[in-house]
Amino acid sequence: MAIGIEFPRVLDAARTGAEWAWRSLYQELAPTVIGYVRARGAHSPEDVCGEVFVQVVRDIQSFQGDEQGFRSWVFVMAHRRLLDEARRRKRRPETPVDTVDLRDLAAASDTATEAMAGVEEARLRAVLDELTPAQRDVVLLRVIADLSVEEVAQVIGKGPGAVKSLQHRALETLRGKLTEPSEDGAALTKSP
């Protein structure tokens, strides 16, 4: 989904502080930003997304370009927030403490569906962990953020040829890992 031909009007309105325009931009981009930073292992994806949008608000007057350029610009910020978070965690490591699992407090729902989704998500996360950080960035930015090779190159600071190479190697690794049976004997995808 994209804002489309209305993007210039939405951008202009956001620059003047129109709440509807900011809501539109946030609803369009926040889910993919959260998905990207969550898949990259952000400690608090919603907080990182919030930091990204604070920077968007601060810097929107300087943005020049179309909707796809705006998406790229936002993901450059998200990528930089991830790097900042990684540096921060390295300087100040945190020791996790036991907390109450809030899912236990939630209203009853379809437990089987939630369990399967949890297993699939854990398996997918484990497979993504098999990739190098650069390969993971390329795959997530291409798939989740739906950015072009050139836009991914801009986000991660590499050339388009390097992005294509990283993507190719990542996909080969994923293809091999996703067709391997897991401990329960099931593959995430079927072999050809």
Side-chain angles (χ1 to χ4, degrees):
M1 187 170 117
I3 295 171
I5 61 172
E6 290 295 313
F7 179 76
R9 186 173 76 86
V10 172
L11 181 64
D12 288 341
R15 286 179 170 148
T16 64
E19 185 179 330
W20 67 267
W22 281 108
R23 188 178 321 106
S24 178
L25 291 172
Y26 185 83
Q27 288 173 342
E28 174 63 28
L29 291 167
T32 54
V33 169
I34 290 171
Y36 169 64
V37 298
R38 176 175 288 128
R40 285 287 286 121
H43 180 68
S44 178
E46 290 79 9
D47 288 350
V48 173
C49 182
E51 291 173 16
V52 167
F53 276 90
V54 166
Q55 178 141 13
V56 169
V57 170
R58 258 194 324 255
D59 296 347
I60 196 164
Q61 297 299 334
S62 68
F63 173 76
Q64 297 296 317
D66 61 5
E67 184 174 5
Q68 195 60 33
F70 188 78
R71 287 177 60 81
S72 295
W73 184 66
V74 170
F75 277 94
V76 166
M77 290 179 200
H79 187 72
R80 289 178 181 160
R81 293 296 78 73
L82 284 169
L83 295 174
D84 291 346
E85 182 183 85
R87 283 191 286 273
R88 194 171 32 251
R89 279 196 274 178
K90 212 176 228 183
R91 281 191 313 268
R92 295 186 186 103
E94 297 176 2
T95 305
V97 294
D98 291 333
T99 59
V100 175
D101 189 351
L102 296 177
R103 289 177 287 187
D104 293 340
L105 302 175
S109 61
D110 185 358
T111 305
T113 302
E114 286 180 11
M116 287 306 295
V119 168
E120 290 172 3
E121 182 179 331
R123 177 110 191 272
L124 185 56
R125 187 172 306 280
V127 170
L128 285 173
D129 286 345
E130 297 283 328
L131 301 176
T132 67
Q135 289 173 339
R136 194 175 319 119
D137 279 340
V138 168
V139 168
L140 295 173
L141 288 167
R142 293 280 288 139
V143 174
I144 293 177
D146 194 28
L147 299 181
S148 70
V149 169
E150 292 76 18
E151 292 162 338
V152 172
Q154 179 185 3
V155 169
I156 66 173
K158 296 190 184 294
V163 169
K164 289 177 185 177
S165 178
L166 286 164
Q167 179 178 322
H168 176 73
R169 282 182 268 157
L171 293 176
E172 287 300 313
T173 299
L174 290 175
R175 185 174 296 117
K177 294 294 180 183
L178 291 175
T179 57
E180 289 176 1
S182 63
E183 292 175 13
D184 64 2
L188 281 180
T189 62
K190 295 184 189 249
S191 298

